[in-house]
Amino acid sequence: VSQSRYVCYSSLDEFELHTCDIVGDSKNCIDFINESNGKENVKFYAQHSWDFLRELIAQNKKVDMAWLDSAHTYDYLLREMQFVAQMQVPYIVVDDFWWVRGIQLAVFDFLKEFEDYRFYSYSNNNAQIGSIVVLKKV
């Protein structure tokens, strides 16, 4: 997510980026990034991702893209993707796709369950690290 914050601040005039983590030090990183850019466009929530996504759903929050990079387990990722699909997010980015077999299986099972999503892009910069898959709602 650090890369996405950099890209947003360096290329977009207006944006909101909402991120969550249960690791306390993550807020310090977000504060540093916001202070460095003199803006408050990146919002941090000290929450479990499932709780965070449930709140976004309850608020009927519209999201242009979801970047999923939390627990690297099949069940966890599949549930996150189901929440994101419920929000009708047009693009879903799954980080570390090549790294863990459970991530790959969760993506494939998600695509079976949600036939309105398709593979859009795949990047594998460094074998196990840096691999992402982008799914697009059609």
Side-chain angles (χ1 to χ4, degrees):
V1 176
S2 295
Q3 299 93 342
S4 61
R5 291 181 211 132
Y6 171 77
V7 169
C8 288
Y9 270 127
S10 64
S11 60
L12 300 173
D13 292 327
E14 296 298 322
F15 73 92
E16 280 186 16
L17 192 148
H18 299 264
T19 186
C20 68
D21 202 332
I22 56 174
V23 176
D25 289 340
S26 294
K27 182 176 181 339
N28 296 335
C29 179
I30 300 301
D31 291 343
F32 174 79
I33 289 169
N34 282 332
E35 289 170 15
S36 296
N37 289 281
K39 297 180 180 179
E40 296 289 326
N41 296 45
V42 181
K43 314 293 184 199
F44 177 77
Y45 305 85
Q47 289 182 284
H48 186 278
S49 66
W50 290 1
D51 296 332
F52 176 68
L53 291 169
R54 282 189 198 109
E55 284 185 22
L56 293 178
I57 291 167
Q59 296 168 7
N60 199 28
K61 186 79 171 171
K62 298 299 176 201
V63 176
D64 296 318
M65 180 186 78
W67 185 292
L68 304 178
D69 183 22
S70 56
H72 290 69
T73 66
Y74 171 89
D75 293 328
Y76 198 97
L77 175 60
L78 183 59
R79 188 68 184 126
E80 283 181 326
M81 293 173 66
Q82 291 166 338
F83 283 132
V84 170
Q86 186 177 343
M87 297 168 59
Q88 303 290 310
V89 175
Y91 293 94
I92 302 172
V93 179
V94 178
D95 202 13
D96 299 323
F97 179 75
W98 187 258
W99 188 38
V100 179
R101 179 92 170 127
I103 291 174
Q104 296 165 13
L105 294 175
V107 169
F108 295 137
D109 285 349
F110 172 82
L111 291 170
K112 288 179 198 171
E113 181 179 353
F114 294 90
E115 296 179 356
D116 54 340
Y117 281 92
R118 302 278 189 278
F119 271 103
Y120 179 71
S121 178
Y122 173 70
S123 171
N124 190 8
N125 294 336
N126 185 13
Q128 295 178 347
I129 299 171
S131 61
I132 63 167
V133 66
V134 180
L135 308 178
K136 180 179 180 181
K137 186 170 177 44
V138 293

